[in-house]
Amino acid sequence: MSLLLTDLLNLNLSDYTEKIIAEYIWVGGSGIDIRSKAKTLPAPVSDPSKLPKWNYDGSSTGQAPGKDSEVILYPQAIFRDPFRRGNNILVICDTYTPNGEPIPTNKRANAAKIFSLPDVVAEEPWFGLEQEYTLLQKDVKWPIGWPLGGYPGPQGPYYCGAGADKAFGRDIVDSHYKACLMLASTSVASMVKLCLASGNSQVGPTVGISAGDQLWAARYILEEIAGVVLSFDPKPIEGDWNGAGAHTNYSTKPMRSDGGYEVIKKAIEKLGLRHKEHIAAYGDGNERRLTGRHETADIHRFIWGVANRGASIRVGRDTEKDGKGYFEDRRPASNMDPYVVTSMIAETTILWKP
């Protein structure tokens, strides 16, 4: 990269103009691909309702026919831009027809309705989302650091491992961690995982719809900084390797209050009664991951336990000891839609009456 290009990439626009660059980000037609484009604004903006709507060619993203291709972007959440820095921003958007109807791949709209219901608002649902992912070599789509066409040593040394032979991609994992903190999101942790060349980033705890906004922003950043192929496949490599999930930590105000453990157990009972419905909404290819091995419960069976990573739902020791706290739904796949998963958990545990 030339010095001039590097200088321009690092240029702080605020030294020269009030104008800013807003990167509008949305979910594409596959439901997991991320699209974006940049817009110049005359001055800094901190309220998404003050941002202009925009449009794009939905026929190029699998979201509209060519004869009526315009899809409208509605700005919903703003984050600091860790790439352009200064006053520049990332804008999480959802997608609508010109008539104002959510398009089928817009999962945020329904989630926002659920999280705005008075009964849900009163419960103050908190979510912490753990995004696992796998880093693949560009040309061969094989995990970075793995022998080409071969396998590294068996699992064991890699979880939270230290050393060049145990933690491939640590520069990506750590850069992503710092970028997420710069977002002004509540990114709480990052680590290398059990399977060599896999990582985990966590956002939250945050309330309601914000969890989904933050996770999509975190995914966008990860895609941009990786420099390798990023996979959210729940079982990218067959065999004796852990898959990739998106464990979802959850609590409500009553769960976090004295006596909350009984509320937690009732919520878990509800989740068990709707196990099939949740599994159907928890990501594609999850049957390859939820086998009852590699720290998962079998996809056809619902179980919960304290400190049990082979369960569908895990309750922490501190929650059991304190009699209040949160629990972890371990079923969602790494390619899940966070708007779908978080709103469905809230709907089942708060609104649904068995």
Side-chain angles (χ1 to χ4, degrees), residues 109-127:
N110 184 65
K113 288 180 182 178
I114 291 172
F115 284 122
S116 65
L117 292 172
D119 286 349
V120 177
V121 172
E123 294 278 317
E124 296 180 16
W126 288 6
F127 295 93

Side-chain angles (χ1 to χ4, degrees), residues 255-273:
M255 293 178 193
R256 298 186 295 270
S257 303
D258 290 343
Y261 195 30
E262 292 304 312
V263 182
I264 287 173
K265 288 191 284 188
K266 289 177 182 178
I268 293 173
E269 181 181 357
K270 283 186 172 184
L271 289 169
L273 293 174

Side-chain angles (χ1 to χ4, degrees), residues 141-160:
K141 304 295 178 65
W142 196 244
I144 63 170
W146 287 36
L148 191 59
Y151 298 87
Q155 291 187 154
Y158 310 126
Y159 173 70
C160 295

